[in-house]
Short mmCIF file of all heavy atoms in Angstrom, two decimals:
data_model
loop_
_atom_site.label_atom_id
_atom_site.label_comp_id
_atom_site.label_asym_id
_atom_site.label_seq_id
_atom_site.Cartn_x
_atom_site.Cartn_y
_atom_site.Cartn_z
N MET Z 297 0.86 -1.20 -0.04
CA MET Z 297 0.01 0.00 0.01
C MET Z 297 0.86 1.26 -0.01
O MET Z 297 1.80 1.37 0.78
CB MET Z 297 -0.92 -0.01 1.21
CG MET Z 297 -1.97 1.07 1.21
SD MET Z 297 -3.28 0.76 2.40
CE MET Z 297 -2.38 1.01 3.97
N LEU Z 298 0.55 2.17 -0.87
CA LEU Z 298 1.35 3.38 -0.99
C LEU Z 298 1.04 4.38 0.11
O LEU Z 298 0.00 4.32 0.76
CB LEU Z 298 1.10 4.06 -2.33
CG LEU Z 298 1.45 3.28 -3.60
CD1 LEU Z 298 0.99 4.05 -4.86
CD2 LEU Z 298 2.94 3.02 -3.67
N ASP Z 299 1.94 5.30 0.34
CA ASP Z 299 1.74 6.38 1.23
C ASP Z 299 0.72 7.35 0.61
O ASP Z 299 0.91 7.80 -0.56
CB ASP Z 299 3.04 7.10 1.50
CG ASP Z 299 2.95 8.23 2.55
OD1 ASP Z 299 1.79 8.63 2.92
OD2 ASP Z 299 4.01 8.72 2.95
N ILE Z 300 -0.32 7.72 1.31
CA ILE Z 300 -1.38 8.60 0.75
C ILE Z 300 -0.76 9.92 0.32
O ILE Z 300 -1.21 10.53 -0.63
CB ILE Z 300 -2.56 8.81 1.76
CG1 ILE Z 300 -3.67 9.65 1.16
CG2 ILE Z 300 -2.00 9.48 3.03
CD1 ILE Z 300 -4.41 8.91 0.10
N LYS Z 301 0.22 10.41 1.07
CA LYS Z 301 0.88 11.67 0.74
C LYS Z 301 1.60 11.54 -0.62
O LYS Z 301 1.58 12.50 -1.44
CB LYS Z 301 1.86 12.12 1.80
CG LYS Z 301 2.48 13.47 1.59
CD LYS Z 301 3.39 13.86 2.76
CE LYS Z 301 3.94 15.29 2.61
NZ LYS Z 301 4.68 15.47 1.32
N PHE Z 302 2.20 10.40 -0.89
CA PHE Z 302 2.84 10.17 -2.15
C PHE Z 302 1.84 10.20 -3.30
O PHE Z 302 2.11 10.81 -4.34
CB PHE Z 302 3.60 8.84 -2.17
CG PHE Z 302 4.30 8.53 -3.46
CD1 PHE Z 302 5.60 8.96 -3.64
CD2 PHE Z 302 3.70 7.79 -4.46
CE1 PHE Z 302 6.28 8.70 -4.87
CE2 PHE Z 302 4.33 7.54 -5.66
CZ PHE Z 302 5.65 8.01 -5.84
N VAL Z 303 0.68 9.59 -3.10
CA VAL Z 303 -0.36 9.60 -4.17
C VAL Z 303 -0.86 10.99 -4.38
O VAL Z 303 -1.03 11.40 -5.52
CB VAL Z 303 -1.52 8.64 -3.71
CG1 VAL Z 303 -2.64 8.72 -4.79
CG2 VAL Z 303 -1.05 7.23 -3.53
N ARG Z 304 -1.04 11.74 -3.30
CA ARG Z 304 -1.53 13.09 -3.36
C ARG Z 304 -0.54 14.00 -4.17
O ARG Z 304 -0.97 14.84 -4.97
CB ARG Z 304 -1.72 13.64 -1.93
CG ARG Z 304 -2.38 15.05 -1.85
CD ARG Z 304 -2.23 15.58 -0.42
NE ARG Z 304 -2.72 14.59 0.57
CZ ARG Z 304 -2.16 14.41 1.75
NH1 ARG Z 304 -1.05 15.08 2.10
NH2 ARG Z 304 -2.65 13.51 2.60
N ASP Z 305 0.76 13.84 -3.85
CA ASP Z 305 1.76 14.67 -4.46
C ASP Z 305 2.20 14.23 -5.87
O ASP Z 305 2.77 15.00 -6.64
CB ASP Z 305 2.96 14.76 -3.56
CG ASP Z 305 2.70 15.47 -2.26
OD1 ASP Z 305 1.68 16.14 -2.14
OD2 ASP Z 305 3.52 15.30 -1.25
N ASN Z 306 2.00 12.93 -6.16
CA ASN Z 306 2.54 12.35 -7.42
C ASN Z 306 1.45 11.51 -8.16
O ASN Z 306 1.68 10.38 -8.55
CB ASN Z 306 3.73 11.47 -7.15
CG ASN Z 306 4.85 12.19 -6.41
OD1 ASN Z 306 5.66 12.90 -7.03
ND2 ASN Z 306 4.87 12.02 -5.09
N PRO Z 307 0.29 12.10 -8.44
CA PRO Z 307 -0.77 11.29 -9.06
C PRO Z 307 -0.39 10.76 -10.41
O PRO Z 307 -0.77 9.62 -10.76
CB PRO Z 307 -1.95 12.29 -9.16
CG PRO Z 307 -1.30 13.66 -9.10
CD PRO Z 307 -0.15 13.53 -8.20
N GLU Z 308 0.34 11.53 -11.22
CA GLU Z 308 0.71 11.07 -12.55
C GLU Z 308 1.73 9.93 -12.48
O GLU Z 308 1.71 9.04 -13.34
CB GLU Z 308 1.27 12.21 -13.38
CG GLU Z 308 0.23 13.32 -13.66
CD GLU Z 308 -1.08 12.77 -14.22
OE1 GLU Z 308 -1.01 11.92 -15.14
OE2 GLU Z 308 -2.15 13.14 -13.72
N VAL Z 309 2.59 9.95 -11.52
CA VAL Z 309 3.58 8.83 -11.30
C VAL Z 309 2.80 7.55 -11.02
O VAL Z 309 3.12 6.50 -11.57
CB VAL Z 309 4.60 9.16 -10.19
CG1 VAL Z 309 5.46 7.95 -9.91
CG2 VAL Z 309 5.44 10.34 -10.56
N VAL Z 310 1.81 7.65 -10.10
CA VAL Z 310 1.05 6.49 -9.74
C VAL Z 310 0.24 5.97 -10.92
O VAL Z 310 0.13 4.78 -11.13
CB VAL Z 310 0.08 6.86 -8.56
CG1 VAL Z 310 -0.80 5.66 -8.20
CG2 VAL Z 310 0.88 7.32 -7.33
N LYS Z 311 -0.33 6.85 -11.72
CA LYS Z 311 -1.07 6.47 -12.90
C LYS Z 311 -0.18 5.78 -13.93
O LYS Z 311 -0.59 4.79 -14.52
CB LYS Z 311 -1.79 7.67 -13.50
CG LYS Z 311 -2.96 8.20 -12.70
CD LYS Z 311 -3.62 9.39 -13.34
CE LYS Z 311 -4.80 9.92 -12.50
NZ LYS Z 311 -5.43 11.14 -13.10
N GLN Z 312 0.98 6.35 -14.14
CA GLN Z 312 1.89 5.77 -15.11
C GLN Z 312 2.35 4.31 -14.66
O GLN Z 312 2.45 3.46 -15.47
CB GLN Z 312 3.12 6.62 -15.34
CG GLN Z 312 4.06 6.16 -16.44
CD GLN Z 312 3.40 6.04 -17.77
OE1 GLN Z 312 2.76 7.01 -18.26
NE2 GLN Z 312 3.46 4.86 -18.38
N ASN Z 313 2.52 4.19 -13.36
CA ASN Z 313 2.87 2.88 -12.80
C ASN Z 313 1.80 1.85 -13.07
O ASN Z 313 2.03 0.71 -13.42
CB ASN Z 313 3.15 3.03 -11.31
CG ASN Z 313 3.72 1.72 -10.71
OD1 ASN Z 313 4.82 1.33 -10.97
ND2 ASN Z 313 2.88 1.11 -9.88
N ILE Z 314 0.54 2.31 -12.93
CA ILE Z 314 -0.60 1.45 -13.21
C ILE Z 314 -0.65 1.03 -14.70
O ILE Z 314 -0.83 -0.10 -15.05
CB ILE Z 314 -1.93 2.13 -12.83
CG1 ILE Z 314 -2.04 2.27 -11.31
CG2 ILE Z 314 -3.14 1.40 -13.37
CD1 ILE Z 314 -3.21 3.10 -10.83
N LYS Z 315 -0.36 2.00 -15.58
CA LYS Z 315 -0.27 1.75 -17.02
C LYS Z 315 0.83 0.76 -17.33
O LYS Z 315 0.67 -0.11 -18.19
CB LYS Z 315 -0.08 3.03 -17.80
CG LYS Z 315 -1.28 4.03 -17.77
CD LYS Z 315 -0.94 5.30 -18.49
CE LYS Z 315 -2.11 6.29 -18.42
NZ LYS Z 315 -1.77 7.60 -19.06
N ASN Z 316 2.01 0.92 -16.64
CA ASN Z 316 3.12 0.05 -16.88
C ASN Z 316 2.80 -1.37 -16.51
O ASN Z 316 3.45 -2.32 -17.01
CB ASN Z 316 4.34 0.55 -16.11
CG ASN Z 316 4.95 1.80 -16.69
OD1 ASN Z 316 4.67 2.20 -17.85
ND2 ASN Z 316 5.80 2.48 -15.92
N LYS Z 317 1.87 -1.54 -15.59
CA LYS Z 317 1.43 -2.87 -15.16
C LYS Z 317 0.24 -3.39 -15.95
O LYS Z 317 -0.34 -4.43 -15.60
CB LYS Z 317 1.16 -2.87 -13.63
CG LYS Z 317 2.44 -2.68 -12.78
CD LYS Z 317 2.14 -2.68 -11.32
CE LYS Z 317 1.66 -4.04 -10.80
NZ LYS Z 317 2.70 -5.07 -10.90
N PHE Z 318 -0.19 -2.61 -16.94
CA PHE Z 318 -1.32 -3.00 -17.81
C PHE Z 318 -2.61 -3.25 -17.01
O PHE Z 318 -3.32 -4.19 -17.24
CB PHE Z 318 -0.93 -4.16 -18.65
CG PHE Z 318 0.27 -3.93 -19.57
CD1 PHE Z 318 1.53 -4.17 -19.08
CD2 PHE Z 318 0.07 -3.41 -20.78
CE1 PHE Z 318 2.65 -3.91 -19.88
CE2 PHE Z 318 1.20 -3.11 -21.62
CZ PHE Z 318 2.52 -3.39 -21.14
N GLN Z 319 -2.82 -2.35 -16.05
CA GLN Z 319 -4.01 -2.39 -15.19
C GLN Z 319 -4.87 -1.11 -15.33
O GLN Z 319 -5.24 -0.48 -14.35
CB GLN Z 319 -3.62 -2.63 -13.73
CG GLN Z 319 -2.91 -3.95 -13.50
CD GLN Z 319 -2.53 -4.11 -12.05
OE1 GLN Z 319 -2.98 -3.38 -11.14
NE2 GLN Z 319 -1.74 -5.16 -11.74
N ASP Z 320 -5.10 -0.67 -16.55
CA ASP Z 320 -5.76 0.61 -16.83
C ASP Z 320 -7.11 0.75 -16.13
O ASP Z 320 -7.55 1.86 -15.87
CB ASP Z 320 -5.90 0.82 -18.33
CG ASP Z 320 -4.58 1.12 -19.02
OD1 ASP Z 320 -3.52 0.80 -18.41
OD2 ASP Z 320 -4.56 1.68 -20.12
N HIS Z 321 -7.74 -0.37 -15.86
CA HIS Z 321 -9.03 -0.31 -15.19
C HIS Z 321 -8.96 0.31 -13.76
O HIS Z 321 -9.95 0.70 -13.20
CB HIS Z 321 -9.66 -1.69 -15.09
CG HIS Z 321 -8.87 -2.70 -14.28
ND1 HIS Z 321 -7.74 -3.30 -14.80
CD2 HIS Z 321 -9.05 -3.20 -13.04
CE1 HIS Z 321 -7.24 -4.10 -13.86
NE2 HIS Z 321 -7.98 -4.06 -12.80
N LYS Z 322 -7.74 0.35 -13.24
CA LYS Z 322 -7.49 0.92 -11.91
C LYS Z 322 -7.21 2.42 -11.91
O LYS Z 322 -7.10 3.04 -10.85
CB LYS Z 322 -6.36 0.17 -11.20
CG LYS Z 322 -6.70 -1.30 -10.85
CD LYS Z 322 -5.53 -1.93 -10.06
CE LYS Z 322 -5.85 -3.38 -9.74
NZ LYS Z 322 -4.69 -4.03 -8.96
N LEU Z 323 -7.04 3.00 -13.10
CA LEU Z 323 -6.67 4.43 -13.18
C LEU Z 323 -7.64 5.35 -12.45
O LEU Z 323 -7.21 6.29 -11.82
CB LEU Z 323 -6.55 4.83 -14.67
CG LEU Z 323 -5.30 4.28 -15.38
CD1 LEU Z 323 -5.37 4.57 -16.89
CD2 LEU Z 323 -4.01 4.88 -14.83
N PRO Z 324 -8.95 5.15 -12.54
CA PRO Z 324 -9.90 6.04 -11.86
C PRO Z 324 -9.70 6.02 -10.32
O PRO Z 324 -10.05 7.00 -9.68
CB PRO Z 324 -11.26 5.50 -12.21
CG PRO Z 324 -11.07 4.74 -13.48
CD PRO Z 324 -9.69 4.15 -13.43
N LEU Z 325 -9.09 4.99 -9.77
CA LEU Z 325 -8.91 4.88 -8.34
C LEU Z 325 -8.02 5.99 -7.80
O LEU Z 325 -8.22 6.51 -6.70
CB LEU Z 325 -8.28 3.54 -7.95
CG LEU Z 325 -9.12 2.25 -8.23
CD1 LEU Z 325 -8.28 1.05 -7.94
CD2 LEU Z 325 -10.38 2.28 -7.43
N VAL Z 326 -7.10 6.47 -8.62
CA VAL Z 326 -6.16 7.51 -8.14
C VAL Z 326 -6.92 8.76 -7.89
O VAL Z 326 -6.73 9.42 -6.84
CB VAL Z 326 -5.03 7.70 -9.21
CG1 VAL Z 326 -4.05 8.80 -8.71
CG2 VAL Z 326 -4.28 6.40 -9.46
N ASP Z 327 -7.71 9.24 -8.88
CA ASP Z 327 -8.48 10.46 -8.69
C ASP Z 327 -9.51 10.31 -7.55
O ASP Z 327 -9.76 11.27 -6.81
CB ASP Z 327 -9.21 10.85 -9.97
CG ASP Z 327 -8.18 11.31 -11.05
OD1 ASP Z 327 -7.08 11.82 -10.72
OD2 ASP Z 327 -8.48 11.14 -12.27
N GLU Z 328 -10.09 9.12 -7.41
CA GLU Z 328 -11.04 8.87 -6.39
C GLU Z 328 -10.40 9.00 -5.01
O GLU Z 328 -10.98 9.59 -4.07
CB GLU Z 328 -11.68 7.50 -6.54
CG GLU Z 328 -12.64 7.37 -7.71
CD GLU Z 328 -13.07 5.94 -7.96
OE1 GLU Z 328 -12.90 5.08 -7.07
OE2 GLU Z 328 -13.62 5.67 -9.06
N VAL Z 329 -9.21 8.44 -4.87
CA VAL Z 329 -8.47 8.52 -3.61
C VAL Z 329 -8.13 9.99 -3.26
O VAL Z 329 -8.27 10.39 -2.10
CB VAL Z 329 -7.19 7.67 -3.68
CG1 VAL Z 329 -6.22 8.07 -2.58
CG2 VAL Z 329 -7.51 6.17 -3.56
N ILE Z 330 -7.65 10.72 -4.26
CA ILE Z 330 -7.29 12.12 -4.03
C ILE Z 330 -8.53 12.95 -3.59
O ILE Z 330 -8.46 13.75 -2.69
CB ILE Z 330 -6.64 12.71 -5.29
CG1 ILE Z 330 -5.24 12.06 -5.50
CG2 ILE Z 330 -6.54 14.24 -5.19
CD1 ILE Z 330 -4.64 12.43 -6.82
N GLU Z 331 -9.66 12.69 -4.27
CA GLU Z 331 -10.92 13.41 -3.89
C GLU Z 331 -11.34 13.03 -2.53
O GLU Z 331 -11.75 13.91 -1.70
CB GLU Z 331 -11.99 13.03 -4.93
CG GLU Z 331 -13.26 13.78 -4.77
CD GLU Z 331 -14.35 13.42 -5.83
OE1 GLU Z 331 -13.95 12.96 -6.93
OE2 GLU Z 331 -15.54 13.56 -5.51
N LEU Z 332 -11.33 11.77 -2.19
CA LEU Z 332 -11.72 11.31 -0.85
C LEU Z 332 -10.78 11.82 0.21
O LEU Z 332 -11.19 12.17 1.33
CB LEU Z 332 -11.80 9.75 -0.85
CG LEU Z 332 -12.97 9.12 -1.52
CD1 LEU Z 332 -12.71 7.61 -1.77
CD2 LEU Z 332 -14.25 9.28 -0.75
N ASP Z 333 -9.48 11.84 -0.11
CA ASP Z 333 -8.48 12.37 0.82
C ASP Z 333 -8.74 13.87 1.14
O ASP Z 333 -8.62 14.28 2.25
CB ASP Z 333 -7.10 12.14 0.26
CG ASP Z 333 -6.00 12.75 1.16
OD1 ASP Z 333 -5.92 12.36 2.34
OD2 ASP Z 333 -5.25 13.60 0.65
N GLU Z 334 -9.04 14.63 0.06
CA GLU Z 334 -9.34 16.07 0.28
C GLU Z 334 -10.58 16.25 1.15
O GLU Z 334 -10.61 17.05 2.09
CB GLU Z 334 -9.59 16.72 -1.06
CG GLU Z 334 -9.80 18.25 -1.00
CD GLU Z 334 -9.94 18.89 -2.31
OE1 GLU Z 334 -9.76 18.20 -3.37
OE2 GLU Z 334 -10.24 20.13 -2.37
N LYS Z 335 -11.61 15.43 0.88
CA LYS Z 335 -12.81 15.44 1.73
C LYS Z 335 -12.51 15.11 3.17
O LYS Z 335 -12.98 15.75 4.12
CB LYS Z 335 -13.85 14.45 1.16
CG LYS Z 335 -15.12 14.35 1.95
CD LYS Z 335 -16.02 13.26 1.39
CE LYS Z 335 -17.27 13.06 2.25
NZ LYS Z 335 -18.14 11.98 1.67
N ASN Z 336 -11.67 14.10 3.37
CA ASN Z 336 -11.32 13.64 4.71
C ASN Z 336 -10.56 14.70 5.48
O ASN Z 336 -10.74 14.88 6.67
CB ASN Z 336 -10.48 12.35 4.59
CG ASN Z 336 -10.41 11.61 5.94
OD1 ASN Z 336 -11.41 11.46 6.63
ND2 ASN Z 336 -9.26 11.10 6.27
N ARG Z 337 -9.64 15.37 4.78
CA ARG Z 337 -8.86 16.43 5.49
C ARG Z 337 -9.78 17.62 5.85
O ARG Z 337 -9.55 18.25 6.90
CB ARG Z 337 -7.71 16.89 4.54
CG ARG Z 337 -6.53 15.88 4.56
CD ARG Z 337 -5.35 16.36 3.78
NE ARG Z 337 -5.60 16.41 2.35
CZ ARG Z 337 -5.12 17.38 1.55
NH1 ARG Z 337 -4.43 18.36 2.03
NH2 ARG Z 337 -5.40 17.33 0.27
N LYS Z 338 -10.76 17.92 5.02
CA LYS Z 338 -11.70 19.00 5.37
C LYS Z 338 -12.53 18.61 6.58
O LYS Z 338 -12.82 19.42 7.43
CB LYS Z 338 -12.60 19.28 4.15
CG LYS Z 338 -11.95 20.10 3.06
CD LYS Z 338 -12.89 20.31 1.90
CE LYS Z 338 -12.18 21.17 0.80
NZ LYS Z 338 -13.08 21.35 -0.41
N ILE Z 339 -12.93 17.33 6.66
CA ILE Z 339 -13.70 16.82 7.83
C ILE Z 339 -12.82 16.99 9.08
O ILE Z 339 -13.33 17.48 10.08
CB ILE Z 339 -14.07 15.35 7.60
CG1 ILE Z 339 -15.11 15.21 6.49
CG2 ILE Z 339 -14.58 14.73 8.89
CD1 ILE Z 339 -15.37 13.73 6.08
N LYS Z 340 -11.57 16.57 8.98
CA LYS Z 340 -10.66 16.71 10.11
C LYS Z 340 -10.53 18.15 10.57
O LYS Z 340 -10.52 18.47 11.78
CB LYS Z 340 -9.29 16.09 9.80
CG LYS Z 340 -9.31 14.57 9.61
CD LYS Z 340 -7.90 14.06 9.28
CE LYS Z 340 -7.88 12.58 9.01
NZ LYS Z 340 -8.20 11.76 10.21
N GLN Z 341 -10.41 19.05 9.60
CA GLN Z 341 -10.27 20.50 9.91
C GLN Z 341 -11.50 21.01 10.63
O GLN Z 341 -11.37 21.75 11.59
CB GLN Z 341 -9.97 21.25 8.64
CG GLN Z 341 -8.56 21.04 8.09
CD GLN Z 341 -8.42 21.66 6.67
OE1 GLN Z 341 -9.33 22.26 6.13
NE2 GLN Z 341 -7.26 21.45 6.06
N GLU Z 342 -12.65 20.62 10.12
CA GLU Z 342 -13.89 21.10 10.77
C GLU Z 342 -14.05 20.51 12.18
O GLU Z 342 -14.45 21.25 13.06
CB GLU Z 342 -15.10 20.66 9.91
CG GLU Z 342 -16.39 21.24 10.39
CD GLU Z 342 -17.63 20.97 9.55
OE1 GLU Z 342 -17.44 20.47 8.38
OE2 GLU Z 342 -18.73 21.22 10.01
#
């Protein structure tokens, strides 16, 4: 499992790694994780 901060800071690296493994069906997961992470941080702040 990757560090969430790494995914947040390097989304294109994570996506390219997925492509390199020929798992393109997992590409939407990166944006979903980033969106959920942003939501989670806002919750924590509130």
Side-chain angles (χ1 to χ4, degrees):
M297 188 165 70
L298 297 174
D299 184 349
I300 186 69
K301 186 177 184 301
F302 180 87
V303 178
R304 187 192 308 143
D305 295 342
N306 303 278
E308 295 309 313
V309 173
V310 178
K311 288 179 181 179
Q312 186 58 54
N313 187 68
I314 291 172
K315 292 177 183 177
N316 288 344
K317 292 179 67 66
F318 301 89
Q319 298 181 9
D320 288 20
H321 62 284
K322 293 183 179 180
L323 287 171
L325 295 175
V326 181
D327 291 332
E328 290 172 13
V329 163
I330 291 171
E331 186 179 336
L332 287 164
D333 177 59
E334 185 178 353
K335 177 184 176 182
N336 197 44
R337 284 186 291 142
K338 286 180 179 177
I339 291 171
K340 291 179 183 293
Q341 288 170 3
E342 187 176 349

